[in-house]
Coordinates of all heavy atoms in Angstrom, one line a residue:
M1420 N 11.0 -15.0 -5.5 CA 11.7 -13.7 -5.2 C 10.7 -12.5 -5.6 O 9.8 -12.7 -6.3 CB 13.0 -13.6 -6.0 CG 14.1 -12.8 -5.3 SD 15.5 -12.6 -6.3 CE 15.0 -11.6 -7.6
T1421 N 11.1 -11.4 -5.1 CA 10.3 -10.2 -5.4 C 11.2 -8.9 -5.3 O 12.3 -9.0 -4.8 CB 9.0 -10.1 -4.6 OG1 8.2 -9.0 -5.0 CG2 9.4 -9.8 -3.1
F1422 N 10.6 -7.8 -5.7 CA 11.2 -6.5 -5.4 C 10.4 -5.9 -4.3 O 9.2 -6.2 -4.1 CB 11.4 -5.7 -6.6 CG 12.6 -6.1 -7.5 CD1 12.6 -7.3 -8.0 CD2 13.6 -5.3 -7.7 CE1 13.7 -7.8 -8.8 CE2 14.8 -5.6 -8.5 CZ 14.8 -6.9 -9.0
V1423 N 11.0 -5.0 -3.5 CA 10.4 -4.5 -2.3 C 10.5 -3.0 -2.2 O 11.6 -2.4 -2.4 CB 11.1 -5.1 -1.1 CG1 10.5 -4.5 0.2 CG2 10.8 -6.6 -1.1
V1424 N 9.5 -2.2 -1.9 CA 9.6 -0.8 -1.7 C 9.8 -0.6 -0.2 O 9.2 -1.2 0.7 CB 8.2 -0.1 -2.0 CG1 8.4 1.4 -1.9 CG2 7.8 -0.5 -3.5
T1425 N 10.8 0.3 0.1 CA 11.2 0.5 1.5 C 10.9 1.9 1.9 O 10.3 2.7 1.2 CB 12.7 0.2 1.7 OG1 13.4 1.1 0.9 CG2 13.0 -1.3 1.3
D1426 N 11.3 2.3 3.1 CA 10.9 3.5 3.8 C 11.2 4.8 3.1 O 10.5 5.8 3.4 CB 11.4 3.5 5.3 CG 12.9 3.3 5.4 OD1 13.5 2.6 4.4 OD2 13.5 3.7 6.4
N1427 N 12.2 4.8 2.2 CA 12.5 6.1 1.5 C 11.3 6.6 0.7 O 11.1 7.8 0.5 CB 13.7 6.0 0.6 CG 15.0 6.1 1.4 OD1 15.0 6.0 2.6 ND2 16.1 6.2 0.6
C1428 N 10.4 5.6 0.3 CA 9.2 6.0 -0.5 C 8.2 6.8 0.4 O 7.5 7.7 -0.1 CB 8.5 4.8 -1.0 SG 7.1 5.1 -2.0
K1429 N 8.2 6.5 1.7 CA 7.2 7.1 2.6 C 7.4 8.6 2.7 O 8.5 9.1 2.9 CB 7.4 6.5 4.0 CG 6.2 6.6 4.9 CD 6.4 5.8 6.1 CE 5.1 5.7 6.9 NZ 5.1 4.7 8.0
G1430 N 6.3 9.3 2.4 CA 6.4 10.7 2.3 C 6.9 11.3 1.0 O 7.0 12.6 0.8
C1431 N 7.3 10.5 0.1 CA 7.7 10.9 -1.3 C 6.7 10.5 -2.3 O 6.1 11.4 -3.0 CB 9.1 10.3 -1.6 SG 10.5 10.9 -0.7
R1432 N 6.6 9.2 -2.5 CA 5.6 8.7 -3.5 C 5.7 9.4 -4.8 O 4.8 9.9 -5.4 CB 4.2 8.9 -2.9 CG 3.2 7.9 -3.2 CD 1.9 8.2 -2.5 NE 0.8 7.2 -2.6 CZ 0.0 7.2 -3.7 NH1 0.1 8.0 -4.7 NH2 -1.0 6.3 -3.7
F1433 N 6.9 9.3 -5.4 CA 7.2 10.0 -6.7 C 6.4 9.3 -7.8 O 6.1 9.9 -8.8 CB 8.7 10.1 -6.9 CG 9.4 11.1 -6.2 CD1 10.2 10.9 -5.1 CD2 9.2 12.5 -6.6 CE1 10.8 11.9 -4.3 CE2 9.9 13.5 -5.8 CZ 10.6 13.2 -4.8
T1434 N 6.2 8.0 -7.7 CA 5.5 7.2 -8.7 C 6.1 7.0 -10.0 O 5.5 6.5 -11.0 CB 4.0 7.6 -8.9 OG1 3.9 8.9 -9.5 CG2 3.2 7.5 -7.6
D1435 N 7.4 7.4 -10.2 CA 8.1 7.1 -11.5 C 8.2 5.6 -11.7 O 8.1 5.1 -12.8 CB 9.5 7.6 -11.4 CG 9.6 9.1 -11.2 OD1 9.4 9.6 -10.0 OD2 9.8 9.9 -12.2
C1436 N 8.2 4.9 -10.6 CA 8.3 3.4 -10.7 C 7.2 2.7 -11.4 O 7.3 1.8 -12.2 CB 8.4 2.8 -9.3 SG 7.1 3.4 -8.2
V1437 N 6.0 3.2 -11.2 CA 4.8 2.5 -11.8 C 4.7 2.6 -13.3 O 4.2 1.7 -13.9 CB 3.4 3.0 -11.1 CG1 3.5 3.0 -9.6 CG2 3.1 4.4 -11.7
A1438 N 5.3 3.6 -13.9 CA 5.2 3.9 -15.3 C 6.0 2.8 -16.1 O 5.7 2.6 -17.2 CB 5.8 5.2 -15.6
V1439 N 6.9 2.1 -15.4 CA 7.7 1.1 -16.2 C 7.4 -0.3 -15.8 O 7.9 -1.2 -16.4 CB 9.2 1.3 -15.9 CG1 9.7 2.7 -16.4 CG2 9.6 1.1 -14.5
C1440 N 6.5 -0.5 -14.8 CA 6.2 -1.9 -14.3 C 5.3 -2.6 -15.4 O 4.2 -2.1 -15.7 CB 5.5 -1.9 -13.0 SG 5.1 -3.5 -12.4
P1441 N 5.7 -3.7 -15.9 CA 5.0 -4.4 -17.0 C 3.7 -5.1 -16.5 O 2.9 -5.5 -17.3 CB 6.0 -5.3 -17.6 CG 7.0 -5.6 -16.5 CD 7.1 -4.4 -15.7
V1442 N 3.7 -5.3 -15.2 CA 2.5 -6.2 -14.6 C 1.7 -5.4 -13.6 O 0.9 -6.1 -12.9 CB 3.1 -7.5 -14.1 CG1 3.7 -8.4 -15.2 CG2 4.1 -7.3 -13.0
D1443 N 1.8 -4.1 -13.5 CA 1.0 -3.3 -12.6 C 0.9 -3.9 -11.2 O -0.1 -4.1 -10.6 CB -0.5 -3.2 -13.2 CG -0.5 -2.4 -14.5 OD1 0.5 -1.8 -14.8 OD2 -1.6 -2.4 -15.1
C1444 N 2.1 -4.2 -10.6 CA 2.0 -4.8 -9.3 C 2.3 -3.8 -8.1 O 2.4 -4.3 -7.0 CB 3.0 -5.9 -9.2 SG 4.8 -5.5 -9.5
F1445 N 2.3 -2.5 -8.5 CA 2.4 -1.5 -7.4 C 1.0 -1.2 -6.8 O 0.1 -0.9 -7.6 CB 3.1 -0.2 -7.9 CG 4.5 -0.3 -8.0 CD1 5.1 -0.7 -9.3 CD2 5.4 -0.1 -7.0 CE1 6.4 -0.8 -9.5 CE2 6.8 -0.2 -7.1 CZ 7.3 -0.5 -8.4
H1446 N 0.9 -1.2 -5.5 CA -0.4 -0.8 -4.8 C 0.0 0.3 -3.9 O 1.2 0.4 -3.4 CB -1.0 -2.0 -4.1 CG -1.3 -3.2 -4.9 ND1 -2.6 -3.6 -5.1 CD2 -0.5 -4.0 -5.7 CE1 -2.5 -4.7 -5.9 NE2 -1.3 -4.9 -6.3
G1447 N -0.9 1.2 -3.5 CA -0.6 2.3 -2.7 C -1.6 2.8 -1.7 O -2.8 2.5 -1.9
D1448 N -1.1 3.4 -0.6 CA -1.9 4.1 0.3 C -1.5 5.6 0.2 O -0.8 6.0 -0.6 CB -1.9 3.5 1.7 CG -0.6 3.5 2.3 OD1 0.3 4.3 1.9 OD2 -0.4 2.7 3.3
G1449 N -1.9 6.4 1.2 CA -1.6 7.8 1.2 C -0.2 8.1 1.5 O 0.3 9.2 1.3
D1450 N 0.6 7.1 2.0 CA 1.9 7.4 2.4 C 3.0 6.9 1.3 O 4.0 7.6 1.1 CB 2.3 6.6 3.7 CG 1.5 7.2 4.9 OD1 1.2 8.4 4.9 OD2 1.2 6.4 5.8
M1451 N 2.7 5.8 0.8 CA 3.8 5.2 -0.1 C 3.2 4.0 -1.0 O 2.0 3.8 -0.9 CB 4.9 4.7 0.8 CG 4.5 3.6 1.7 SD 6.0 3.0 2.7 CE 6.8 1.8 1.6
L1452 N 4.0 3.4 -1.8 CA 3.6 2.3 -2.6 C 4.2 1.0 -2.0 O 5.2 1.1 -1.3 CB 4.0 2.5 -4.0 CG 3.5 3.7 -4.8 CD1 3.8 3.6 -6.2 CD2 2.0 3.9 -4.6
Y1453 N 3.6 -0.1 -2.4 CA 4.0 -1.5 -2.0 C 4.0 -2.4 -3.2 O 3.0 -2.2 -4.0 CB 3.1 -2.0 -0.9 CG 2.9 -1.0 0.2 CD1 1.8 -0.1 0.2 CD2 3.8 -1.0 1.4 CE1 1.7 0.8 1.2 CE2 3.5 -0.1 2.4 CZ 2.5 0.8 2.3 OH 2.3 1.7 3.3
I1454 N 4.8 -3.3 -3.3 CA 4.9 -4.2 -4.4 C 4.2 -5.6 -4.0 O 4.6 -6.1 -2.9 CB 6.3 -4.5 -4.9 CG1 6.8 -3.3 -5.6 CG2 6.3 -5.7 -5.9 CD1 8.3 -3.3 -5.9
D1455 N 3.3 -6.1 -4.7 CA 2.7 -7.4 -4.5 C 3.6 -8.5 -4.9 O 3.8 -8.6 -6.2 CB 1.3 -7.5 -5.2 CG 0.6 -8.8 -4.8 OD1 1.2 -9.8 -4.4 OD2 -0.6 -8.8 -4.9
P1456 N 4.2 -9.3 -4.0 CA 5.2 -10.3 -4.4 C 4.6 -11.4 -5.3 O 5.3 -12.1 -5.9 CB 5.7 -10.8 -3.1 CG 4.6 -10.5 -2.1 CD 3.9 -9.2 -2.5
G1457 N 3.2 -11.5 -5.2 CA 2.6 -12.5 -6.0 C 2.4 -12.1 -7.5 O 2.1 -12.9 -8.3
E1458 N 2.7 -10.8 -7.7 CA 2.5 -10.3 -9.1 C 3.8 -9.9 -9.7 O 4.0 -9.9 -10.9 CB 1.6 -9.1 -9.1 CG 0.2 -9.4 -8.6 CD -0.7 -8.1 -8.4 OE1 -0.1 -7.1 -8.0 OE2 -1.9 -8.2 -8.6
C1459 N 4.8 -9.5 -8.9 CA 6.1 -9.0 -9.4 C 6.8 -10.1 -10.2 O 6.9 -11.2 -9.7 CB 6.9 -8.5 -8.3 SG 8.6 -8.0 -8.7
I1460 N 7.3 -9.8 -11.4 CA 8.1 -10.8 -12.2 C 9.6 -10.5 -12.1 O 10.3 -11.1 -12.9 CB 7.6 -10.7 -13.7 CG1 7.8 -9.4 -14.3 CG2 6.1 -11.2 -13.8 CD1 7.6 -9.4 -15.8
D1461 N 10.0 -9.7 -11.1 CA 11.4 -9.6 -10.9 C 12.2 -9.0 -12.1 O 13.4 -9.4 -12.3 CB 12.1 -10.9 -10.5 CG 11.3 -11.6 -9.3 OD1 10.8 -10.8 -8.4 OD2 11.3 -12.8 -9.2
C1462 N 11.6 -8.2 -12.8 CA 12.3 -7.6 -14.0 C 13.3 -6.6 -13.7 O 14.3 -6.3 -14.4 CB 11.3 -7.0 -15.0 SG 10.5 -5.5 -14.4
G1463 N 13.2 -5.9 -12.5 CA 14.1 -4.9 -12.0 C 14.0 -3.5 -12.7 O 14.8 -2.6 -12.4
A1464 N 13.0 -3.4 -13.6 CA 12.9 -2.1 -14.3 C 12.6 -0.9 -13.4 O 13.0 0.2 -13.7 CB 11.8 -2.2 -15.4
C1465 N 11.9 -1.1 -12.3 CA 11.5 0.0 -11.4 C 12.7 0.5 -10.6 O 12.6 1.7 -10.2 CB 10.4 -0.5 -10.5 SG 10.9 -2.0 -9.5
V1466 N 13.7 -0.2 -10.4 CA 14.8 0.1 -9.4 C 15.4 1.5 -9.8 O 15.5 2.4 -9.0 CB 15.8 -0.9 -9.3 CG1 17.0 -0.5 -8.4 CG2 15.2 -2.1 -8.6
P1467 N 15.9 1.6 -11.1 CA 16.6 2.9 -11.4 C 15.7 4.1 -11.6 O 16.1 5.2 -11.7 CB 17.3 2.6 -12.7 CG 16.5 1.4 -13.3 CD 16.0 0.6 -12.2
E1468 N 14.4 3.9 -11.6 CA 13.5 4.9 -11.8 C 13.2 5.7 -10.5 O 12.8 6.9 -10.6 CB 12.1 4.4 -12.3 CG 12.2 3.7 -13.6 CD 12.7 4.6 -14.8 OE1 12.2 5.8 -14.8 OE2 13.6 4.2 -15.5
C1469 N 13.4 5.1 -9.4 CA 13.1 5.8 -8.1 C 14.1 6.8 -7.8 O 15.3 6.5 -7.6 CB 12.9 4.8 -7.0 SG 12.5 5.6 -5.4
P1470 N 13.7 8.1 -7.6 CA 14.7 9.2 -7.3 C 15.2 9.1 -5.9 O 16.2 9.8 -5.6 CB 13.9 10.4 -7.6 CG 12.5 10.1 -7.7 CD 12.4 8.6 -7.9
V1471 N 14.6 8.3 -5.0 CA 15.2 8.2 -3.7 C 15.7 6.7 -3.4 O 15.8 6.4 -2.2 CB 14.2 8.6 -2.6 CG1 14.0 10.2 -2.7 CG2 12.9 7.9 -2.8
E1472 N 15.9 5.9 -4.4 CA 16.4 4.6 -4.3 C 15.7 3.7 -3.2 O 16.3 3.1 -2.4 CB 17.9 4.6 -4.0 CG 18.7 5.3 -5.1 CD 20.2 5.3 -5.0 OE1 20.7 4.7 -4.0 OE2 20.8 5.9 -5.8
A1473 N 14.3 3.8 -3.3 CA 13.5 3.1 -2.3 C 13.3 1.6 -2.6 O 12.9 0.8 -1.7 CB 12.1 3.7 -2.2
I1474 N 13.6 1.2 -3.9 CA 13.2 -0.2 -4.3 C 14.5 -1.1 -4.3 O 15.5 -0.7 -4.9 CB 12.6 -0.2 -5.7 CG1 11.4 0.8 -5.7 CG2 12.1 -1.6 -6.0 CD1 10.7 1.1 -7.0
Y1475 N 14.3 -2.2 -3.7 CA 15.4 -3.2 -3.7 C 14.9 -4.6 -4.2 O 13.8 -5.0 -4.0 CB 15.9 -3.4 -2.2 CG 16.6 -2.3 -1.6 CD1 15.9 -1.2 -1.1 CD2 18.0 -2.2 -1.7 CE1 16.6 -0.1 -0.5 CE2 18.7 -1.2 -1.1 CZ 18.0 -0.1 -0.5 OH 18.7 0.9 0.0
D1476 N 15.9 -5.3 -4.8 CA 15.7 -6.7 -5.0 C 15.7 -7.3 -3.6 O 16.5 -7.0 -2.7 CB 16.9 -7.2 -5.7 CG 17.0 -8.7 -6.0 OD1 16.5 -9.5 -5.1 OD2 17.5 -9.1 -7.0
E1477 N 14.7 -8.2 -3.3 CA 14.5 -8.8 -2.0 C 15.8 -9.4 -1.5 O 16.0 -9.3 -0.2 CB 13.5 -10.0 -2.2 CG 13.1 -10.8 -0.9 CD 12.2 -11.9 -1.2 OE1 12.2 -12.4 -2.3 OE2 11.4 -12.2 -0.3
S1478 N 16.6 -10.0 -2.3 CA 17.9 -10.6 -1.9 C 19.0 -9.6 -1.5 O 20.0 -10.0 -1.1 CB 18.3 -11.6 -2.9 OG 18.7 -10.9 -4.1
Q1479 N 18.7 -8.4 -1.8 CA 19.8 -7.4 -1.6 C 19.4 -6.2 -0.7 O 20.0 -5.2 -0.6 CB 20.2 -6.8 -3.0 CG 20.9 -7.8 -3.9 CD 21.1 -7.3 -5.3 OE1 20.8 -6.2 -5.6 NE2 21.6 -8.2 -6.1
I1480 N 18.3 -6.4 0.1 CA 17.9 -5.4 1.0 C 18.8 -5.3 2.2 O 19.2 -6.3 2.8 CB 16.5 -5.7 1.6 CG1 15.5 -5.9 0.4 CG2 16.0 -4.6 2.5 CD1 14.1 -6.2 0.9
P1481 N 19.3 -4.1 2.6 CA 20.1 -3.9 3.7 C 19.4 -4.5 5.0 O 18.2 -4.5 5.1 CB 20.3 -2.4 3.8 CG 19.9 -1.8 2.5 CD 18.9 -2.8 1.9
D1482 N 20.2 -4.9 5.9 CA 19.6 -5.5 7.2 C 18.6 -4.7 7.8 O 17.6 -5.1 8.3 CB 20.8 -5.9 8.1 CG 21.5 -7.1 7.7 OD1 21.0 -7.8 6.8 OD2 22.6 -7.3 8.3
D1483 N 18.8 -3.3 7.9 CA 17.9 -2.5 8.6 C 16.6 -2.2 7.8 O 15.7 -1.5 8.4 CB 18.6 -1.2 9.0 CG 19.1 -0.3 7.8 OD1 19.1 -0.9 6.7 OD2 19.3 0.9 8.0
K1484 N 16.5 -2.7 6.7 CA 15.3 -2.5 5.9 C 14.6 -3.8 5.6 O 13.6 -3.9 4.9 CB 15.6 -1.8 4.6 CG 16.1 -0.4 4.8 CD 16.3 0.3 3.5 CE 17.0 1.7 3.6 NZ 16.1 2.7 4.0
K1485 N 15.1 -4.9 6.1 CA 14.5 -6.2 5.8 C 13.0 -6.4 6.2 O 12.3 -7.2 5.5 CB 15.3 -7.4 6.4 CG 16.7 -7.7 5.7 CD 17.2 -9.0 6.1 CE 18.6 -9.2 5.6 NZ 18.8 -9.1 4.2
S1486 N 12.6 -5.7 7.2 CA 11.2 -5.9 7.6 C 10.2 -5.4 6.5 O 9.0 -5.8 6.5 CB 10.9 -5.1 8.9 OG 11.2 -3.7 8.7
W1487 N 10.7 -4.6 5.6 CA 9.7 -4.1 4.5 C 9.3 -5.2 3.6 O 8.3 -5.0 2.9 CB 10.4 -3.0 3.8 CG 10.5 -1.7 4.6 CD1 11.5 -1.3 5.4 CD2 9.4 -0.8 4.8 NE1 11.2 -0.1 6.1 CE2 9.9 0.2 5.7 CE3 8.1 -0.7 4.3 CZ2 9.0 1.2 6.2 CZ3 7.3 0.3 4.8 CH2 7.8 1.2 5.7
T1488 N 10.0 -6.3 3.5 CA 9.5 -7.4 2.7 C 8.2 -7.9 3.1 O 7.2 -8.0 2.3 CB 10.5 -8.6 2.7 OG1 11.8 -8.1 2.3 CG2 10.1 -9.7 1.8
Q1489 N 8.0 -8.1 4.4 CA 6.8 -8.5 5.0 C 5.7 -7.5 4.9 O 4.5 -7.8 4.6 CB 7.0 -9.0 6.4 CG 5.7 -9.7 7.0 CD 6.0 -10.2 8.4 OE1 7.1 -10.1 9.0 NE2 4.9 -10.7 9.0
V1490 N 6.1 -6.2 5.1 CA 5.1 -5.1 5.0 C 4.5 -5.0 3.6 O 3.3 -4.9 3.4 CB 5.8 -3.7 5.4 CG1 4.8 -2.6 5.1 CG2 6.3 -3.7 6.8
N1491 N 5.4 -5.1 2.6 CA 4.9 -5.1 1.2 C 3.9 -6.3 1.0 O 2.8 -6.1 0.4 CB 6.0 -5.2 0.2 CG 6.7 -3.9 -0.1 OD1 6.8 -3.3 -1.2 ND2 7.2 -3.3 1.0
A1492 N 4.3 -7.4 1.4 CA 3.5 -8.6 1.1 C 2.1 -8.6 1.8 O 1.1 -9.0 1.3 CB 4.2 -9.9 1.6
E1493 N 2.1 -8.0 3.0 CA 0.9 -7.9 3.8 C 0.0 -6.7 3.3 O -1.2 -6.9 3.2 CB 1.2 -7.6 5.3 CG 1.7 -8.9 6.0 CD 2.1 -8.6 7.4 OE1 1.9 -7.4 7.9 OE2 2.6 -9.6 8.0
K1494 N 0.5 -5.6 2.9 CA -0.3 -4.5 2.6 C -0.7 -4.4 1.1 O -1.8 -4.0 0.8 CB 0.5 -3.2 2.8 CG 0.6 -2.9 4.3 CD 0.8 -1.4 4.6 CE 0.6 -1.1 6.0 NZ 0.3 0.3 6.3
A1495 N 0.2 -4.8 0.2 CA -0.1 -4.6 -1.3 C -1.4 -5.1 -1.7 O -2.2 -4.5 -2.4 CB 1.1 -5.1 -2.1
P1496 N -1.7 -6.4 -1.4 CA -2.9 -7.1 -2.0 C -4.2 -6.4 -1.6 O -5.2 -6.5 -2.4 CB -2.9 -8.5 -1.5 CG -1.4 -8.7 -1.1 CD -0.9 -7.4 -0.7
G1497 N -4.3 -5.7 -0.5 CA -5.5 -5.1 -0.1 C -5.7 -3.6 -0.5 O -6.7 -3.0 -0.2
L1498 N -4.7 -3.1 -1.2 CA -4.7 -1.7 -1.6 C -4.9 -1.5 -3.1 O -4.6 -2.5 -3.9 CB -3.4 -1.0 -1.2 CG -3.1 -0.9 0.3 CD1 -1.7 -0.5 0.6 CD2 -4.1 0.2 0.9
P1499 N -5.4 -0.3 -3.5 CA -5.6 -0.2 -5.0 C -4.3 -0.2 -5.8 O -3.3 0.2 -5.3 CB -6.2 1.3 -5.1 CG -6.5 1.7 -3.7 CD -5.8 0.8 -2.7
V1500 N -4.5 -0.7 -7.0 CA -3.3 -0.7 -7.9 C -3.0 0.8 -8.4 O -4.0 1.5 -8.7 CB -3.7 -1.5 -9.2 CG1 -2.6 -1.3 -10.3 CG2 -3.8 -3.0 -8.9
I1501 N -1.8 1.1 -8.4 CA -1.3 2.4 -8.8 C -0.5 2.2 -10.1 O 0.6 1.6 -10.0 CB -0.5 3.2 -7.8 CG1 -1.2 3.2 -6.5 CG2 -0.1 4.6 -8.3 CD1 -2.5 4.1 -6.4
N1502 N -1.0 2.5 -11.2 CA -0.3 2.3 -12.5 C -0.1 3.5 -13.4 O 0.3 3.4 -14.5 CB -0.8 1.1 -13.3 CG -2.3 1.3 -13.6 OD1 -2.8 2.4 -13.5 ND2 -3.0 0.2 -14.1
Q1503 N -0.5 4.6 -12.8 CA -0.3 5.9 -13.6 C 0.6 6.8 -12.8 O 0.3 7.0 -11.5 CB -1.7 6.6 -13.7 CG -2.7 5.8 -14.4 CD -2.7 5.9 -15.9 OE1 -2.3 6.9 -16.4 NE2 -3.1 4.9 -16.6
K1504 N 1.5 7.4 -13.4 CA 2.3 8.4 -12.6 C 1.5 9.5 -12.2 O 0.7 10.1 -13.0 CB 3.5 8.9 -13.5 CG 4.4 9.9 -12.8 CD 5.8 10.1 -13.3 CE 6.4 11.3 -12.7 NZ 6.3 11.4 -11.2
G1505 N 1.7 10.0 -11.0 CA 0.9 11.1 -10.5 C 1.8 12.1 -9.8 O 3.1 11.9 -9.8
D1506 N 1.3 13.1 -9.1 CA 2.1 14.1 -8.4 C 2.7 13.4 -7.2 O 2.0 12.6 -6.5 CB 1.2 15.2 -8.0 CG 0.8 16.1 -9.1 OD1 1.4 16.1 -10.2 OD2 -0.3 16.8 -9.0
A1507 N 3.9 13.8 -6.9 CA 4.5 13.3 -5.6 C 3.8 14.0 -4.4 O 3.1 14.9 -4.6 CB 6.0 13.7 -5.6
L1508 N 4.0 13.4 -3.3 CA 3.3 14.0 -2.1 C 3.9 15.4 -1.8 O 5.1 15.7 -2.1 CB 3.6 13.0 -0.9 CG 2.9 11.7 -0.9 CD1 3.3 10.9 0.3 CD2 1.4 11.8 -1.0
P1509 N 3.1 16.2 -1.1 CA 3.6 17.5 -0.7 C 4.8 17.3 0.2 O 4.8 16.4 1.1 CB 2.4 18.1 0.1 CG 1.2 17.4 -0.3 CD 1.7 16.0 -0.8
G1510 N 5.9 18.1 0.0 CA 7.1 17.9 0.9 C 8.0 16.8 0.3 O 9.1 16.6 0.9
A1511 N 7.7 16.2 -0.8 CA 8.6 15.1 -1.4 C 10.0 15.6 -1.7 O 10.9 14.9 -1.5 CB 7.9 14.4 -2.6
E1512 N 10.0 16.8 -2.3 CA 11.3 17.3 -2.8 C 12.2 17.6 -1.6 O 13.4 17.3 -1.6 CB 11.2 18.5 -3.7 CG 10.6 18.3 -5.0 CD 11.5 17.4 -5.9 OE1 12.8 17.3 -5.6 OE2 11.0 16.7 -6.8
E1513 N 11.6 18.1 -0.5 CA 12.4 18.4 0.7 C 12.8 17.1 1.3 O 14.0 17.0 1.8 CB 11.5 19.2 1.7 CG 11.2 20.6 1.4 CD 10.0 20.7 0.4 OE1 9.5 19.7 -0.1 OE2 9.7 21.9 0.0
R1514 N 12.0 16.1 1.3 CA 12.4 14.8 1.9 C 13.5 14.2 1.1 O 14.4 13.6 1.6 CB 11.1 13.8 2.0 CG 11.5 12.5 2.5 CD 10.3 11.7 3.1 NE 10.5 10.3 3.1 CZ 11.3 9.6 4.0 NH1 12.0 10.3 4.8 NH2 11.4 8.3 4.0
K1515 N 13.3 14.3 -0.2 CA 14.4 13.8 -1.1 C 15.8 14.4 -0.8 O 16.8 13.7 -0.6 CB 14.1 14.1 -2.6 CG 15.1 13.6 -3.6 CD 14.6 14.0 -5.0 CE 15.7 13.8 -6.0 NZ 15.3 14.4 -7.3
T1516 N 15.8 15.7 -0.6 CA 17.0 16.4 -0.2 C 17.5 15.9 1.1 O 18.7 15.6 1.3 CB 16.8 17.9 -0.2 OG1 16.3 18.3 -1.4 CG2 18.0 18.7 0.2
A1517 N 16.6 15.8 2.1 CA 17.0 15.3 3.5 C 17.5 13.9 3.4 O 18.4 13.6 4.2 CB 15.8 15.4 4.4
L1518 N 17.1 13.1 2.5 CA 17.6 11.7 2.3 C 19.0 11.7 1.7 O 19.6 10.6 1.6 CB 16.6 10.9 1.6 CG 15.3 10.5 2.3 CD1 14.3 9.9 1.4 CD2 15.6 9.5 3.5
G1519 N 19.4 12.9 1.1 CA 20.7 12.9 0.5 C 20.7 12.6 -1.0 O 21.7 12.3 -1.6
F1520 N 19.5 12.9 -1.7 CA 19.4 12.7 -3.1 C 19.2 14.0 -3.8 O 18.8 15.0 -3.2 CB 18.3 11.7 -3.5 CG 18.6 10.3 -2.9 CD1 17.9 9.9 -1.8 CD2 19.4 9.4 -3.6 CE1 18.1 8.6 -1.3 CE2 19.7 8.2 -3.1 CZ 19.0 7.7 -2.0
Ligands
LIG2058 FE1 7.2 -4.3 -11.5 FE2 9.5 -5.3 -12.4 FE3 9.6 -3.7 -10.4 FE4 8.5 -6.1 -10.1 S1 10.7 -5.6 -10.5 S2 7.6 -4.2 -9.3 S3 7.6 -6.5 -12.1 S4 8.9 -3.1 -12.5
LIG2059 FE1 8.1 5.5 -4.1 FE2 10.2 5.8 -5.5 FE3 8.0 4.7 -6.6 S1 9.4 7.3 -4.0 S2 6.4 5.8 -5.5 S3 9.3 3.8 -4.9 S4 9.5 6.1 -7.6

């Protein structure tokens, strides 16, 4: 099993999640972060940290977001590890509002 970052992260990238991950399994590009399923230990610590509720337990992802499991698995291993909280992307607060948070 693993945890999965989904589309709400795209354009936000708040990075609160990385500060609590005990195994540094978040990787990122310029749009969002992805969890490496080979590294995630399923602790669940990151889920409540995300201000836009982008992170799901793999077994609880809504049907319309299920494709993100494969996206995370494919992208994360080839991208740099992100383990320090940084600035959110420009426009993140507006996107957060638009998402209803
Ligand atoms: Fe890291 Fe735990 Fe979140 Fe997996 S569930 S990404 S190990 S904080
Ligand atoms: Fe993305 Fe939420 Fe982390 S917006 S970077 S999953 S805190």
Side-chain angles (χ1 to χ4, degrees):
M1420 213 184 67
T1421 185
F1422 281 62
V1423 175
V1424 186
T1425 64
D1426 50 336
N1427 280 14
C1428 182
K1429 201 168 190 170
C1431 288
R1432 214 177 183 275
F1433 282 105
T1434 64
D1435 300 79
C1436 53
V1437 308
V1439 299
C1440 182
V1442 293
D1443 294 351
C1444 61
F1445 285 92
H1446 300 244
D1448 60 20
D1450 293 330
M1451 61 180 280
L1452 301 190
Y1453 310 88
I1454 292 170
D1455 185 336
E1458 299 173 325
C1459 177
I1460 58 169
D1461 305 329
C1462 70
C1465 54
V1466 172
E1468 297 302 314
C1469 179
V1471 290
E1472 299 183 6
I1474 307 172
Y1475 289 85
D1476 179 324
E1477 178 184 31
S1478 66
Q1479 294 172 1
I1480 304 178
D1482 283 347
D1483 63 345
K1484 295 182 187 283
K1485 283 198 188 302
S1486 61
W1487 287 96
T1488 302
Q1489 191 177 353
V1490 174
N1491 278 240
E1493 287 178 0
K1494 290 207 165 197
L1498 291 167
V1500 170
I1501 308 294
N1502 57 12
Q1503 304 272 332
K1504 176 160 170 51
D1506 292 336
L1508 292 177
E1512 287 297 334
E1513 290 80 357
R1514 175 156 162 73
K1515 179 182 168 190
T1516 302
L1518 288 167
F1520 296 101

